[in-house]
Amino acid sequence: MKNSIKKLQILALLPLIAMQFNCGSSKNGTTTNSGKVESWITTSDETSKLKKQPDLVFSAETNSNQTIEVNPSEKFQTVEGFGFSLTGGSAQAIIKLDKPKREALLQELFSRKNDAIGLSYLRISIGASDLNEKVFSYDDVPEGETDLKLEKFNLGPDLEDVIPVLKEILAINPKIKIMGSPWSPPVWMKDNGSSKGGSLQPKYYQVYAEYFVKYIQAMKSHGIVIDAITPQNEPLHPGNNPSLLMLAEQQADFIGNHLGPAFAKAKIKTKIIVYDHNCNKPEYPLTILKDPKANPFVTGSAFHLYEGDISALTTVHNAFPDKDLYFTEQYTGTGTNFETDLKWSVKNVVIGCMRNWSKNALSWGLANDEFYKPFTPGGCSTCKGALMIDQNQNIKREVGYYIIGHASKFVPEGSVRIGSNIVGNLHNVSFKTPLGQIVLIVENDGASAETFNIKYNQKQTSTTLNAGAVATYVW
């Protein structure tokens, strides 16, 4: 009887043993997909755009190639997502599409099925950005008037495009992260009475804090949860339209004495992310994080890279390792080409910010028309969206689509950055996904093709990447 029971137990275990043998295994418990490595490549000459390649295979063979070794025991930050800004102009371009075409496009952008790129993070403007067709806030009143009780607060033009498009996106990905950033407060709160430049008057700090509370509550009434806000987009760039000058000391005062307490009183869990401007001024977020009143209300700092070096994120991380980092904007413009933008943005935005502790990576506008419209008077006329949607509803996928797609398609929310070494011109970053897959993104920043090994758990595979090309490897 005992022998019969043992035979039955062995028979029951055989499928599990076979499964483990067929799938492959590693010391850290991740599967290696039978030793196969899938890859997708975008080349600088545009002959391949996020195109699936023949599988590679891990083996015990050795050679003298330069080697990128992926080390899953080295763990860094957890990823919240990759995506774009859904500007008012982006939403306007998308909502004009016929319903079947719009639904297909949104599935391609936001689902994780088939050939979709799985965007998982969006940034939206609180009121107008410079990529709206007109300037507005959520509490505009006639010149000379004020609205201290915010009785005239309403979501205005966003009800016509941004909110309907967000609802369709949320139906595809209910967990997508959404960050809100204002370009300007209502002009009646400012010391120059203009949408462009000027500063927020201290006497309106409290009512402006309530403005944020009303915004988050109004969006929630439409089923839209705002995960995070920044108090001001590009606070040191008052020359845009709309815009606001908000110095670090002013932002610290606003958060510590008004916005943070207002959120606490209203039981709002939305994260407060400071700065939201270029990497050349890490002292700005550091000033706020050093403020004893502001610090407890601040989750982290956000950066752009029109000036400075991406290593500024690590500077801030080293000073305040308990605070998170975010990368919230980088545009691709009409004055450059596919090759230049692909190389620079993947190297700096996708790989660079992830290697410097960022929890997300966002490019600028998601969509525009063939004339790079809409934009406000004085707004950006050269900003190129990830999609160009013309008057005939033709959709062109621009370079930004592939820059972000090389990460968003393969690295979902909850993935953890793990160790990998940079060799020569091969800039790279690696992740372990919640399902245990390993993802390695590589950009060849050199002037010629590079042959190299990918090494993982004592086995390796060899491959070649053309100059200026980007590849994502998954196993």
Side-chain angles (χ1 to χ4, degrees), residues 274-293:
V274 304
Y275 189 41
D276 206 6
H277 207 171
N278 287 327
C279 287
N280 63 331
K281 299 285 185 184
E283 63 269 23
Y284 188 115
L286 289 173
T287 295
I288 301 169
L289 293 172
K290 289 173 184 175
D291 185 282
K293 284 192 175 180

Side-chain angles (χ1 to χ4, degrees), residues 62-137:
T62 60
N63 56 50
S64 58
N65 296 338
Q66 55 190 339
T67 299
I68 297 172
E69 183 165 4
V70 177
N71 181 1
S73 66
E74 271 192 289
K75 296 177 181 177
F76 302 91
Q77 76 276 23
T78 300
V79 174
E80 289 187 9
F82 297 90
F84 298 91
S85 287
L86 181 72
T87 61
S90 299
Q92 200 174 75
I94 291 168
I95 207 163
K96 287 179 179 176
L97 291 169
D98 293 338
K99 190 176 180 181
K101 185 169 281 192
R102 185 172 73 247
E103 288 177 346
L105 176 63
L106 294 177
Q107 284 287 341
E108 175 190 336
L109 294 172
F110 296 99
S111 80
R112 303 204 69 84
K113 299 174 184 175
N114 304 320
D115 290 327
I117 62 169
L119 301 177
S120 50
Y121 207 117
L122 288 173
R123 182 172 177 240
I124 59 177
S125 60
I126 299 175
S129 77
D130 60 310
L131 295 191
N132 278 81
E133 64 181 356
K134 64 179 181 181
V135 174
F136 65 90
S137 79

Side-chain angles (χ1 to χ4, degrees), residues 42 46 49-50 82-85 108-109 117 119 121 330-334 336-346 349-350 361-368 372 383-388 396-409 470:
T42 298
E46 302 185 58
K49 292 180 175 179
L50 204 52
F82 297 90
F84 298 91
S85 287
E108 175 190 336
L109 294 172
I117 62 169
L119 301 177
Y121 207 117
Q330 193 68 32
Y331 97 138
T332 52
T334 59
T336 52
N337 57 36
F338 188 98
E339 176 183 8
T340 302
D341 283 335
L342 180 73
K343 284 180 64 175
W344 190 92
S345 286
V346 173
V349 175
V350 175
L362 308 181
S363 283
W364 185 210
L366 179 58
N368 49 238
Y372 306 103
C383 290
K384 184 188 293 184
L387 306 169
M388 187 276 285
K396 180 184 179 185
R397 288 147 189 83
E398 301 280 13
V399 64
Y401 177 96
Y402 301 101
I403 291 166
I404 295 297
H406 262 281
S408 61
K409 183 177 176 69
V470 174

Side-chain angles (χ1 to χ4, degrees), residues 290-316:
K290 289 173 184 175
D291 185 282
K293 284 192 175 180
N295 179 289
F297 297 114
V298 174
T299 298
S301 310
F303 289 85
H304 307 173
L305 191 54
Y306 302 110
E307 293 183 83
D309 189 272
I310 196 67
S311 62
L313 277 70
T314 291
T315 299
V316 176

